[in-house]
Amino acid sequence: MDCLKSLMPCLAILLLVSMISFSEAKELGIGGKKSKWEVPSSPDKYNKWAQSKRFQIGDAIVLKYDGKIDSVLQVSEGNFKSCIKSNPIQSYNDGNTKITLDKSGPFYFISGADGHCEKGQKVEITVMSEKHHHHPDAPAPSPAEDHHHAPAPAPKKSGGGNGLKAGFMGGLVAVVMAIMAFV
């Protein structure tokens, strides 16, 4: 019995560390692993990519481009739709821009190079509210949907490690609960 009592603090710390490590913010390269911030081959490439993700507060997007000829502008929704570059909310031109998504709701980014936004070099990223749970394989809600009244879509089943993580966490919780019942 004394052995179990001495294990409790260790198991509690293990549980806490596990929960923190599985909820870490992530960095995503815009458009995918090998993508650069450039005029896309398809005008809706970046938005299709963004709609396939579930962005959380604290996640970051990384944009790589030639800072001598291009830039990234965070703009309002109206300026996004019309590709208006004047009065951006934020402007970046370092060629390797990392933007942390610090609140829920939509973020709008366009290229600062002449004519690029009109050719599809723009992206709308919707960050989920804190009440939604993160599941990286689940599709993000469509920007046209009313996110505040509709429930988040159910996560897709996948053969990846996410089920393993959930199983591990559930098993760990069960072990801690069983030990606590004996103490």
Side-chain angles (χ1 to χ4, degrees), residues 96-112:
N96 189 15
T97 300
K98 177 181 170 184
I99 302 169
T100 300
L101 306 169
D102 59 356
K103 62 182 179 171
S104 63
F107 286 79
Y108 302 96
F109 301 99
I110 64 174
S111 168

Side-chain angles (χ1 to χ4, degrees), residues 161-177:
N162 295 317
L164 181 61
K165 289 177 188 175
F168 173 76
M169 292 302 294
L172 191 57
V173 168
V175 167
V176 170
M177 297 291 281

Side-chain angles (χ1 to χ4, degrees), residues 57-136:
I57 295 170
D59 287 350
I61 56 169
V62 178
L63 301 102
K64 296 182 184 219
Y65 54 95
D66 184 345
K68 295 176 187 157
I69 60 171
D70 204 350
S71 62
V72 179
L73 306 177
Q74 182 179 351
V75 297
S76 67
E77 180 180 10
N79 287 1
F80 174 81
K81 289 179 178 178
S82 301
C83 290
I84 297 172
K85 298 183 292 184
S86 60
N87 300 318
I89 297 167
Q90 195 68 260
S91 178
Y92 309 90
N93 62 1
D94 62 0
N96 189 15
T97 300
K98 177 181 170 184
I99 302 169
T100 300
L101 306 169
D102 59 356
K103 62 182 179 171
S104 63
F107 286 79
Y108 302 96
F109 301 99
I110 64 174
S111 168
D114 288 337
H116 286 206
C117 177
E118 293 81 359
K119 294 176 183 173
Q121 191 177 348
K122 61 183 189 173
V123 63
E124 175 183 352
I125 293 177
T126 302
V127 178
M128 295 175 19
S129 67
E130 291 185 47
K131 66 182 177 181
H132 287 101
H133 297 286
H134 177 69
H135 192 287

Side-chain angles (χ1 to χ4, degrees), residues 5-53:
K5 286 182 181 178
S6 64
L7 280 176
M8 285 304 294
C10 293
L11 288 173
I13 290 170
L14 178 63
L15 180 62
L16 181 63
V17 169
S18 297
M19 290 173 67
I20 290 170
S21 69
F22 289 138
S23 63
E24 288 180 7
K26 61 187 179 296
E27 282 185 23
L28 296 161
I30 194 81
K33 292 179 183 177
K34 295 182 180 183
S35 186
K36 285 182 65 175
W37 181 241
E38 61 190 1
V39 174
S41 56
S42 167
D44 58 349
K45 173 186 175 184
Y46 293 122
N47 283 326
K48 281 185 176 181
W49 170 81
Q51 290 170 1
S52 73
K53 304 294 176 206

